[in-house]
Amino acid sequence: MKPALTPLEDWTRRKLGLAAGQPVTRAELSQWWLMRLRQTLAWAREHSPFYRWRLRGLPDIPLNTPEDLARLPFTTAEDLRREHRGMLCTSQGEVARIVTLRSSGTTAEPKRLYFSQEDLELTLDFFHHGMSTLTGPGKTVLILLPGSTPDSVGDLLARALGRLGARGVVHGPVKDPARTLEVMAREEVSCLVGVPTQVLALARHPKGAELPPGQVQSVLLTTDHVPRAIRRAVGAVWGCRVYSHYGMTELGLGGAVECAAQDGCHLRAADLYCEVVDPRDGRPLPPGQLGELVFSTLTRRAMPLIRYRSGDLGRLREEVCACGSWLPRLDDLRGRVAGLAVLAPGLSLSLAELDEVVFATAGVLDFRARLTRRGGAWSLGLCLRATAETGPEVASAVRAALERKPVIQRARQQGVLVLEPVGLGGADWFSDLGAKRAIVVQRS
Ligand SMILES: [Zn+2]
Protein backbone atom coordinates (compact mmCIF):
# COMPACT_ATOMS: atom_id res chain seq x y z
CA MET A 1 0.00 0.00 0.00
CA LYS A 2 1.29 3.44 -0.95
CA PRO A 3 1.61 5.96 1.92
CA ALA A 4 -1.16 8.57 2.00
CA LEU A 5 -0.15 12.04 0.84
CA THR A 6 0.81 14.36 3.69
CA PRO A 7 -1.53 17.33 4.24
CA LEU A 8 1.07 19.76 2.88
CA GLU A 9 1.71 17.62 -0.19
CA ASP A 10 -2.00 17.28 -0.88
CA TRP A 11 -2.51 21.04 -0.48
CA THR A 12 0.44 21.86 -2.77
CA ARG A 13 -0.88 19.47 -5.38
CA ARG A 14 -4.24 21.21 -5.39
CA LYS A 15 -2.59 24.64 -5.56
CA LEU A 16 -0.64 23.52 -8.60
CA GLY A 17 -3.90 22.43 -10.23
CA LEU A 18 -2.86 18.77 -10.40
CA ALA A 19 -5.13 15.77 -10.03
CA ALA A 20 -5.20 14.06 -6.62
CA GLY A 21 -3.43 10.82 -5.79
CA GLN A 22 0.27 11.05 -6.62
CA PRO A 23 3.00 13.17 -5.01
CA VAL A 24 4.02 16.28 -6.95
CA THR A 25 7.02 15.41 -9.14
CA ARG A 26 10.18 17.47 -9.54
CA ALA A 27 9.25 18.21 -13.16
CA GLU A 28 5.81 19.48 -12.11
CA LEU A 29 7.37 21.68 -9.45
CA SER A 30 9.94 23.09 -11.89
CA GLN A 31 7.23 23.86 -14.41
CA TRP A 32 5.17 25.65 -11.76
CA TRP A 33 8.15 27.65 -10.50
CA LEU A 34 9.08 28.73 -14.03
CA MET A 35 5.55 29.86 -14.86
CA ARG A 36 5.04 31.71 -11.58
CA LEU A 37 8.49 33.32 -11.61
CA ARG A 38 7.82 34.69 -15.10
CA GLN A 39 4.44 36.02 -13.97
CA THR A 40 5.94 37.55 -10.83
CA LEU A 41 8.69 39.28 -12.83
CA ALA A 42 6.17 40.65 -15.31
CA TRP A 43 3.86 41.85 -12.51
CA ALA A 44 6.71 43.47 -10.57
CA ARG A 45 8.13 45.23 -13.64
CA GLU A 46 4.78 46.53 -14.70
CA HIS A 47 3.62 47.80 -11.31
CA SER A 48 6.67 48.60 -9.17
CA PRO A 49 9.02 51.52 -9.93
CA PHE A 50 11.69 49.85 -7.79
CA TYR A 51 11.73 46.59 -9.76
CA ARG A 52 11.41 48.42 -13.10
CA TRP A 53 14.59 50.26 -12.23
CA ARG A 54 16.34 47.27 -10.63
CA LEU A 55 15.61 44.96 -13.59
CA ARG A 56 16.26 47.56 -16.30
CA GLY A 57 18.33 46.42 -19.25
CA LEU A 58 17.57 42.73 -18.67
CA PRO A 59 15.83 40.84 -21.47
CA ASP A 60 12.04 40.71 -21.27
CA ILE A 61 11.68 37.05 -20.35
CA PRO A 62 15.15 35.84 -19.31
CA LEU A 63 13.95 32.60 -17.74
CA ASN A 64 14.15 29.25 -19.50
CA THR A 65 14.55 27.26 -16.27
CA PRO A 66 13.95 28.36 -12.65
CA GLU A 67 17.73 28.29 -12.14
CA ASP A 68 18.10 31.13 -14.67
CA LEU A 69 16.72 33.38 -11.94
CA ALA A 70 20.30 33.50 -10.60
CA ARG A 71 21.05 36.00 -13.41
CA LEU A 72 18.86 38.61 -11.74
CA PRO A 73 20.01 40.95 -8.97
CA PHE A 74 19.16 40.30 -5.30
CA THR A 75 16.65 42.18 -3.17
CA THR A 76 17.98 42.92 0.32
CA ALA A 77 16.83 43.93 3.79
CA GLU A 78 18.25 47.37 2.96
CA ASP A 79 15.80 47.61 0.03
CA LEU A 80 12.93 46.88 2.43
CA ARG A 81 14.16 49.77 4.59
CA ARG A 82 14.72 52.35 1.86
CA GLU A 83 12.66 51.34 -1.15
CA HIS A 84 9.52 49.77 0.28
CA ARG A 85 7.20 52.37 -1.25
CA GLY A 86 8.64 51.77 -4.70
CA MET A 87 8.27 48.01 -4.24
CA LEU A 88 4.51 48.23 -3.76
CA CYS A 89 2.68 46.85 -6.81
CA THR A 90 -0.87 47.82 -5.88
CA SER A 91 -2.63 51.01 -4.83
CA GLN A 92 -2.45 51.92 -1.13
CA GLY A 93 -6.16 51.16 -1.01
CA GLU A 94 -5.48 47.50 -1.73
CA VAL A 95 -3.02 47.19 1.16
CA ALA A 96 -4.73 45.32 4.00
CA ARG A 97 -1.76 45.19 6.39
CA ILE A 98 1.60 46.93 6.73
CA VAL A 99 4.20 45.24 8.95
CA THR A 100 7.01 47.39 10.35
CA LEU A 101 10.08 45.46 11.49
CA ARG A 102 12.61 47.27 13.65
CA SER A 103 16.01 45.75 14.49
CA SER A 104 16.56 45.87 18.23
CA GLY A 105 19.33 48.16 19.43
CA THR A 106 19.80 50.04 16.16
CA THR A 107 18.58 53.34 14.84
CA ALA A 108 18.30 51.93 11.30
CA GLU A 109 15.09 52.62 9.38
CA PRO A 110 12.62 49.79 9.95
CA LYS A 111 11.84 47.30 7.20
CA ARG A 112 8.30 47.62 5.84
CA LEU A 113 6.20 44.97 4.17
CA TYR A 114 2.83 45.39 2.52
CA PHE A 115 0.20 42.67 2.22
CA SER A 116 -3.08 42.67 0.31
CA GLN A 117 -6.13 40.74 1.47
CA GLU A 118 -5.23 38.00 -1.05
CA ASP A 119 -1.69 37.83 0.39
CA LEU A 120 -3.05 37.36 3.92
CA GLU A 121 -5.38 34.66 2.65
CA LEU A 122 -2.36 32.76 1.28
CA THR A 123 -0.82 32.77 4.76
CA LEU A 124 -4.07 31.64 6.39
CA ASP A 125 -4.35 28.83 3.89
CA PHE A 126 -0.76 27.68 4.54
CA PHE A 127 -1.28 27.79 8.32
CA HIS A 128 -4.51 25.82 7.95
CA HIS A 129 -2.89 22.99 5.97
CA GLY A 130 0.52 23.15 7.67
CA MET A 131 -1.06 22.78 11.12
CA SER A 132 -3.08 19.73 10.11
CA THR A 133 0.11 17.65 10.56
CA LEU A 134 0.09 18.57 14.26
CA THR A 135 -3.50 18.86 15.32
CA GLY A 136 -7.08 18.33 14.20
CA PRO A 137 -10.80 18.88 14.82
CA GLY A 138 -11.83 19.30 18.44
CA LYS A 139 -8.29 19.94 19.72
CA THR A 140 -7.16 23.06 21.58
CA VAL A 141 -4.00 24.84 20.47
CA LEU A 142 -2.37 27.47 22.68
CA ILE A 143 -0.70 30.16 20.58
CA LEU A 144 2.27 31.71 22.40
CA LEU A 145 2.81 34.35 19.71
CA PRO A 146 1.60 37.97 19.46
CA GLY A 147 -2.01 37.98 18.35
CA SER A 148 -3.79 40.99 19.77
CA THR A 149 -3.99 42.95 16.50
CA PRO A 150 -6.07 41.82 13.51
CA ASP A 151 -4.04 39.86 10.94
CA SER A 152 -1.06 39.51 13.29
CA VAL A 153 0.62 36.09 13.31
CA GLY A 154 -1.35 34.83 16.33
CA ASP A 155 -4.65 36.10 14.94
CA LEU A 156 -4.06 34.51 11.52
CA LEU A 157 -3.05 31.23 13.14
CA ALA A 158 -6.15 31.14 15.37
CA ARG A 159 -8.38 31.76 12.34
CA ALA A 160 -6.55 29.07 10.34
CA LEU A 161 -7.08 26.58 13.19
CA GLY A 162 -10.78 27.42 13.14
CA ARG A 163 -10.91 26.27 9.50
CA LEU A 164 -9.37 23.02 10.63
CA GLY A 165 -12.06 22.55 13.29
CA ALA A 166 -9.50 23.07 16.07
CA ARG A 167 -9.69 25.79 18.72
CA GLY A 168 -6.82 28.28 18.62
CA VAL A 169 -6.40 30.23 21.87
CA VAL A 170 -4.24 33.33 21.46
CA HIS A 171 -2.18 33.62 24.65
CA GLY A 172 0.71 35.78 23.48
CA PRO A 173 4.37 35.43 24.51
CA VAL A 174 5.05 33.64 27.82
CA LYS A 175 5.74 36.11 30.62
CA ASP A 176 4.98 33.94 33.65
CA PRO A 177 5.47 30.21 32.92
CA ALA A 178 3.46 29.11 35.98
CA ARG A 179 0.41 31.07 34.80
CA THR A 180 0.72 29.80 31.23
CA LEU A 181 0.88 26.23 32.58
CA GLU A 182 -2.31 26.87 34.55
CA VAL A 183 -4.00 27.98 31.32
CA MET A 184 -2.73 24.81 29.61
CA ALA A 185 -4.24 22.62 32.34
CA ARG A 186 -7.53 24.53 32.49
CA GLU A 187 -8.08 24.72 28.74
CA GLU A 188 -6.91 21.12 28.15
CA VAL A 189 -4.36 22.31 25.60
CA SER A 190 -3.01 19.47 23.48
CA CYS A 191 -0.82 21.50 21.13
CA LEU A 192 1.48 24.50 21.65
CA VAL A 193 2.90 26.93 19.12
CA GLY A 194 5.71 29.13 20.40
CA VAL A 195 9.29 30.38 20.47
CA PRO A 196 11.83 27.66 21.47
CA THR A 197 13.17 29.24 24.69
CA GLN A 198 9.65 30.15 25.88
CA VAL A 199 8.34 26.63 25.38
CA LEU A 200 11.46 25.32 27.13
CA ALA A 201 10.64 27.56 30.12
CA LEU A 202 7.25 25.81 30.35
CA ALA A 203 8.68 22.32 29.98
CA ARG A 204 11.43 22.87 32.56
CA HIS A 205 9.12 24.55 35.11
CA PRO A 206 8.19 22.18 37.99
CA LYS A 207 4.51 22.55 37.05
CA GLY A 208 5.33 21.50 33.49
CA ALA A 209 5.76 17.89 34.56
CA GLU A 210 2.49 18.02 36.53
CA LEU A 211 0.28 18.19 33.44
CA PRO A 212 -1.67 14.94 32.94
CA PRO A 213 0.45 12.43 31.00
CA GLY A 214 -0.39 12.48 27.32
CA GLN A 215 -2.18 15.85 27.44
CA VAL A 216 0.40 17.70 25.32
CA GLN A 217 0.56 15.77 22.06
CA SER A 218 2.42 18.14 19.76
CA VAL A 219 4.48 21.31 19.86
CA LEU A 220 5.46 23.60 17.00
CA LEU A 221 8.59 25.67 17.58
CA THR A 222 8.92 28.75 15.40
CA THR A 223 10.14 32.37 14.99
CA ASP A 224 13.71 31.71 16.16
CA HIS A 225 16.32 29.09 15.27
CA VAL A 226 15.14 25.73 16.71
CA PRO A 227 17.95 23.93 18.60
CA ARG A 228 17.79 20.12 18.59
CA ALA A 229 18.59 20.18 22.31
CA ILE A 230 15.39 22.14 23.03
CA ARG A 231 13.33 19.76 20.88
CA ARG A 232 14.67 16.81 22.85
CA ALA A 233 14.13 18.48 26.24
CA VAL A 234 10.52 19.46 25.46
CA GLY A 235 9.70 16.07 23.93
CA ALA A 236 11.14 14.26 26.95
CA VAL A 237 9.02 16.14 29.50
CA TRP A 238 5.65 15.74 27.78
CA GLY A 239 6.25 12.67 25.62
CA CYS A 240 5.02 14.72 22.64
CA ARG A 241 6.13 15.21 19.03
CA VAL A 242 8.08 18.45 18.60
CA TYR A 243 8.03 19.99 15.11
CA SER A 244 9.80 22.99 13.74
CA HIS A 245 8.62 25.70 11.41
CA TYR A 246 10.77 28.13 9.46
CA GLY A 247 9.35 31.48 8.53
CA MET A 248 9.77 35.22 8.53
CA THR A 249 7.45 38.15 7.89
CA GLU A 250 9.11 38.68 4.50
CA LEU A 251 7.88 35.23 3.40
CA GLY A 252 4.32 36.00 4.47
CA LEU A 253 5.16 34.56 7.93
CA GLY A 254 5.07 30.90 6.90
CA GLY A 255 7.98 29.38 5.00
CA ALA A 256 8.47 25.68 5.63
CA VAL A 257 7.21 23.10 8.11
CA GLU A 258 8.15 19.58 9.14
CA CYS A 259 6.16 16.50 8.20
CA ALA A 260 5.72 13.45 10.45
CA ALA A 261 9.11 12.11 9.26
CA GLN A 262 10.73 15.13 11.02
CA ASP A 263 13.73 15.25 8.74
CA GLY A 264 13.77 18.83 7.52
CA CYS A 265 11.04 21.41 6.89
CA HIS A 266 9.10 21.05 3.63
CA LEU A 267 9.11 24.30 1.68
CA ARG A 268 5.83 26.05 0.94
CA ALA A 269 6.74 25.36 -2.65
CA ALA A 270 3.59 26.64 -4.36
CA ASP A 271 4.20 30.11 -2.92
CA LEU A 272 8.00 30.29 -2.61
CA TYR A 273 11.03 29.52 -4.70
CA CYS A 274 14.24 29.00 -2.74
CA GLU A 275 17.90 29.23 -3.76
CA VAL A 276 21.02 28.75 -1.66
CA VAL A 277 23.95 31.10 -2.26
CA ASP A 278 27.41 31.64 -0.84
CA PRO A 279 26.86 34.36 1.78
CA ARG A 280 30.23 35.94 0.92
CA ASP A 281 29.73 36.60 -2.78
CA GLY A 282 26.15 35.59 -3.61
CA ARG A 283 27.28 32.80 -5.97
CA PRO A 284 24.64 30.03 -6.32
CA LEU A 285 25.65 26.83 -4.48
CA PRO A 286 24.85 23.29 -5.66
CA PRO A 287 21.91 21.49 -3.99
CA GLY A 288 22.67 20.17 -0.53
CA GLN A 289 25.33 22.74 0.41
CA LEU A 290 25.05 25.00 3.43
CA GLY A 291 24.61 28.65 2.52
CA GLU A 292 22.35 31.69 2.70
CA LEU A 293 18.71 31.06 1.83
CA VAL A 294 17.34 33.33 -0.91
CA PHE A 295 13.60 33.45 -1.56
CA SER A 296 11.36 34.62 -4.38
CA THR A 297 7.64 34.88 -3.82
CA LEU A 298 5.45 33.26 -6.47
CA THR A 299 1.94 34.32 -5.53
CA ARG A 300 2.22 37.62 -3.64
CA ARG A 301 0.40 40.60 -5.04
CA ALA A 302 1.09 43.74 -3.01
CA MET A 303 4.84 43.40 -2.59
CA PRO A 304 6.45 40.46 -4.36
CA LEU A 305 10.05 39.71 -3.42
CA ILE A 306 12.51 38.65 -6.09
CA ARG A 307 15.68 36.91 -4.88
CA TYR A 308 15.38 38.22 -1.33
CA ARG A 309 18.47 37.51 0.75
CA SER A 310 17.03 36.16 4.00
CA GLY A 311 20.26 36.43 6.01
CA ASP A 312 19.53 32.90 7.29
CA LEU A 313 21.82 29.90 6.91
CA GLY A 314 20.48 26.54 5.80
CA ARG A 315 20.60 23.70 3.35
CA LEU A 316 18.08 22.82 0.62
CA ARG A 317 17.51 19.10 0.17
CA GLU A 318 15.87 17.98 -3.03
CA GLU A 319 15.77 14.19 -2.63
CA VAL A 320 12.49 12.44 -1.78
CA CYS A 321 11.51 12.46 1.92
CA ALA A 322 10.58 9.39 3.98
CA CYS A 323 6.99 10.74 3.89
CA GLY A 324 6.98 10.20 0.12
CA SER A 325 7.06 13.90 -0.79
CA TRP A 326 9.37 15.59 -3.29
CA LEU A 327 8.65 19.02 -1.84
CA PRO A 328 12.14 20.41 -1.15
CA ARG A 329 13.23 20.47 2.47
CA LEU A 330 15.08 23.16 4.40
CA ASP A 331 17.49 21.53 6.76
CA ASP A 332 20.40 22.34 9.02
CA LEU A 333 18.88 25.76 9.71
CA ARG A 334 21.59 27.50 11.70
CA GLY A 335 20.21 30.95 12.30
CA ARG A 336 21.64 34.18 10.97
CA VAL A 337 24.61 34.56 8.64
CA ALA A 338 25.53 37.57 10.78
CA GLY A 339 25.50 35.33 13.86
CA LEU A 340 28.54 33.42 12.65
CA ALA A 341 31.63 34.65 14.53
CA VAL A 342 34.91 34.03 12.72
CA LEU A 343 37.58 33.15 15.30
CA ALA A 344 40.37 32.47 12.80
CA PRO A 345 40.51 31.62 9.08
CA GLY A 346 38.46 28.44 8.62
CA LEU A 347 37.33 28.44 12.23
CA SER A 348 33.97 29.97 13.08
CA LEU A 349 31.53 29.65 15.94
CA SER A 350 27.77 30.00 15.56
CA LEU A 351 25.08 30.61 18.12
CA ALA A 352 23.43 27.42 16.85
CA GLU A 353 26.48 25.39 17.97
CA LEU A 354 26.45 27.00 21.42
CA ASP A 355 22.69 26.32 21.63
CA GLU A 356 23.23 22.57 21.27
CA VAL A 357 25.73 22.53 24.14
CA VAL A 358 24.02 24.92 26.52
CA PHE A 359 20.37 23.86 26.19
CA ALA A 360 21.31 20.20 26.54
CA THR A 361 22.30 20.97 30.13
CA ALA A 362 19.43 20.30 32.58
CA GLY A 363 17.92 23.37 34.21
CA VAL A 364 19.11 25.94 31.63
CA LEU A 365 16.38 28.23 30.31
CA ASP A 366 18.31 30.75 28.22
CA PHE A 367 21.75 32.29 27.83
CA ARG A 368 23.64 35.19 26.34
CA ALA A 369 27.06 34.93 24.70
CA ARG A 370 29.69 37.58 24.15
CA LEU A 371 32.98 37.43 22.27
CA THR A 372 35.48 40.09 23.24
CA ARG A 373 38.72 40.75 21.38
CA ARG A 374 41.61 40.86 23.85
CA GLY A 375 45.13 41.07 22.47
CA GLY A 376 45.46 38.48 19.74
CA ALA A 377 42.64 36.20 20.94
CA TRP A 378 38.89 36.11 21.42
CA SER A 379 37.45 35.70 24.88
CA LEU A 380 34.12 33.86 25.08
CA GLY A 381 31.81 34.81 27.93
CA LEU A 382 28.49 33.13 28.66
CA CYS A 383 25.78 33.94 31.16
CA LEU A 384 22.94 31.50 31.90
CA ARG A 385 19.39 31.80 33.12
CA ALA A 386 18.28 28.66 34.88
CA THR A 387 15.21 27.39 36.77
CA ALA A 388 14.82 28.40 40.41
CA GLU A 389 15.55 24.78 41.42
CA THR A 390 18.92 24.74 39.65
CA GLY A 391 22.08 25.20 41.71
CA PRO A 392 25.33 26.98 40.76
CA GLU A 393 26.80 23.68 39.52
CA VAL A 394 24.93 24.25 36.22
CA ALA A 395 27.56 26.86 35.28
CA SER A 396 30.44 24.41 35.64
CA ALA A 397 28.45 21.72 33.80
CA VAL A 398 28.00 24.07 30.83
CA ARG A 399 31.64 25.08 30.98
CA ALA A 400 32.73 21.41 30.91
CA ALA A 401 30.41 20.72 27.95
CA LEU A 402 31.86 23.72 26.08
CA GLU A 403 35.38 22.42 26.67
CA ARG A 404 34.41 19.15 24.96
CA LYS A 405 33.09 20.91 21.83
CA PRO A 406 35.54 20.21 18.94
CA VAL A 407 35.47 23.74 17.45
CA ILE A 408 36.23 25.21 20.87
CA GLN A 409 38.99 22.66 21.48
CA ARG A 410 40.61 23.54 18.14
CA ALA A 411 40.34 27.28 18.75
CA ARG A 412 41.90 26.94 22.22
CA GLN A 413 44.72 24.75 20.86
CA GLN A 414 45.45 27.40 18.22
CA GLY A 415 45.52 30.06 20.92
CA VAL A 416 42.71 32.12 19.35
CA LEU A 417 40.08 31.52 22.03
CA VAL A 418 39.94 31.92 25.81
CA LEU A 419 36.95 30.59 27.78
CA GLU A 420 35.78 32.86 30.59
CA PRO A 421 34.07 31.31 33.62
CA VAL A 422 30.36 30.77 32.84
CA GLY A 423 28.08 33.14 34.76
CA LEU A 424 24.63 32.52 36.21
CA GLY A 425 21.79 35.00 36.72
CA GLY A 426 23.33 38.20 35.40
CA ALA A 427 20.21 40.28 34.70
CA ASP A 428 22.53 42.95 33.26
CA TRP A 429 23.68 40.53 30.56
CA PHE A 430 20.15 39.90 29.47
CA SER A 431 19.29 43.59 29.30
CA ASP A 432 22.68 44.81 27.95
CA LEU A 433 22.95 42.24 25.22
CA GLY A 434 19.37 42.75 24.08
CA ALA A 435 16.37 40.55 23.56
CA LYS A 436 17.53 39.10 20.27
CA ARG A 437 19.54 35.93 20.63
CA ALA A 438 22.98 36.40 19.03
CA ILE A 439 26.66 36.12 19.84
CA VAL A 440 27.50 39.73 20.66
CA VAL A 441 30.96 40.61 19.31
CA GLN A 442 32.92 43.37 21.04
CA ARG A 443 36.19 44.46 19.51
CA SER A 444 37.53 46.50 22.43
ZN1 LIG B 1 8.44 14.67 4.57
Side-chain angles (χ1 to χ4, degrees):
M1 203 176 100
K2 273 183 280 183
L5 295 187
T6 66
L8 200 69
E9 173 80 40
D10 195 38
W11 173 68
T12 306
R13 185 153 195 102
R14 276 184 281 123
K15 288 198 41 139
L16 267 59
L18 302 167
Q22 295 291 316
V24 182
T25 64
R26 280 300 316 209
E28 286 166 338
L29 271 178
S30 270
Q31 208 179 359
W32 170 263
W33 286 332
L34 187 60
M35 177 187 75
R36 298 303 308 202
L37 286 169
R38 284 175 174 163
Q39 287 175 359
T40 298
L41 283 174
W43 172 257
R45 269 189 162 150
E46 194 177 333
H47 298 280
S48 141
F50 167 81
Y51 281 119
R52 202 172 304 133
W53 171 78
R54 181 59 66 87
L55 302 173
R56 70 194 182 285
L58 293 161
D60 275 345
I61 301 175
L63 302 185
N64 294 313
T65 69
E67 290 74 22
D68 287 345
L69 194 69
R71 287 152 51 191
L72 302 187
F74 291 115
T75 307
T76 63
E78 200 50 33
D79 294 328
L80 297 184
R81 290 193 181 94
R82 293 170 182 269
E83 308 287 347
H84 49 84
R85 281 184 202 84
M87 294 171 84
L88 182 61
C89 286
T90 62
S91 68
Q92 290 281 352
E94 277 189 69
V95 175
R97 179 160 161 79
I98 303 173
V99 182
T100 303
L101 298 169
R102 292 175 205 283
S103 324
S104 60
T106 70
T107 52
E109 282 273 295
K111 292 188 270 190
R112 286 220 164 79
L113 287 128
Y114 302 82
F115 297 94
S116 69
Q117 204 58 52
E118 293 100 315
D119 296 334
L120 295 172
E121 173 55 35
L122 290 169
T123 298
L124 260 171
D125 198 33
F126 171 67
F127 283 174
H128 167 192
H129 295 280
M131 284 303 289
S132 58
T133 304
L134 282 88
T135 190
K139 306 275 189 187
T140 299
V141 181
L142 196 65
I143 303 167
L144 309 174
L145 303 172
S148 52
T149 47
D151 299 328
S152 56
V153 59
D155 177 53
L156 289 170
L157 186 53
R159 282 156 53 198
L161 287 162
R163 291 183 181 181
L164 188 60
R167 184 169 72 108
V169 179
V170 179
H171 174 284
V174 178
K175 297 200 173 77
D176 177 352
R179 279 198 52 197
T180 304
L181 285 157
E182 281 165 26
V183 174
M184 285 172 68
R186 191 176 64 234
E187 303 284 341
E188 295 182 21
V189 169
S190 65
C191 175
L192 285 178
V193 180
V195 180
T197 49
Q198 298 198 356
V199 174
L200 183 70
L202 300 175
R204 286 189 165 163
H205 192 278
K207 286 192 171 176
E210 292 172 12
L211 288 172
Q215 181 187 316
V216 181
Q217 293 163 1
S218 58
V219 170
L220 184 70
L221 300 178
T222 183
T223 308
D224 203 353
H225 159 69
V226 179
R228 290 188 304 277
I230 291 188
R231 296 172 63 125
R232 281 195 297 272
V234 170
V237 170
W238 290 321
C240 59
R241 301 289 298 265
V242 184
Y243 295 82
S244 64
H245 167 258
Y246 170 80
M248 52 169 55
T249 306
E250 289 91 321
L251 307 184
L253 302 167
V257 68
E258 276 183 326
C259 63
Q262 297 199 303
D263 185 20
C265 296
H266 284 287
L267 183 69
R268 182 181 161 189
D271 293 320
L272 298 170
Y273 177 70
C274 178
E275 303 165 76
V276 181
V277 303
D278 188 321
R280 291 167 300 186
D281 56 16
R283 202 169 38 87
L285 292 173
Q289 282 207 28
L290 183 74
E292 182 178 352
L293 303 174
V294 172
F295 294 97
S296 298
T297 62
L298 304 172
T299 45
R300 282 251 289 282
R301 184 174 162 80
M303 189 177 180
L305 296 178
I306 296 168
R307 303 201 79 211
Y308 179 69
R309 289 189 76 149
S310 69
D312 283 336
L313 284 169
R315 221 181 278 279
L316 187 67
R317 289 168 59 188
E318 301 195 348
E319 75 275 15
V320 68
C321 175
C323 74
S325 173
W326 284 98
L327 297 179
R329 280 170 290 161
L330 300 182
D331 200 4
D332 209 3
L333 293 156
R334 295 197 193 183
R336 308 292 293 161
V337 173
L340 209 60
V342 179
L343 302 173
L347 205 57
S348 56
L349 187 66
S350 68
L351 184 68
E353 285 172 294
L354 293 180
D355 281 350
E356 298 306 339
V357 174
V358 181
F359 289 120
T361 311
V364 172
L365 296 177
D366 203 355
F367 71 98
R368 291 290 179 271
R370 183 174 58 198
L371 271 173
T372 313
R373 190 79 180 162
R374 290 208 181 94
W378 290 102
S379 179
L380 176 63
L382 242 73
C383 191
L384 311 173
R385 258 187 46 215
T387 63
E389 299 70 32
T390 305
E393 65 282 358
V394 69
S396 41
V398 166
R399 159 100 196 188
L402 287 172
E403 285 173 0
R404 290 194 296 273
K405 181 101 193 141
V407 63
I408 289 177
Q409 285 179 344
R410 277 203 302 281
R412 292 176 89 198
Q413 279 159 8
Q414 291 180 23
V416 294
L417 184 71
V418 174
L419 273 186
E420 296 170 23
V422 174
L424 182 59
D428 51 325
W429 276 67
F430 285 86
S431 52
D432 286 1
L433 300 186
K436 206 167 175 91
R437 303 188 59 251
I439 301 178
V440 174
V441 177
Q442 297 177 331
R443 295 199 169 266
S444 56

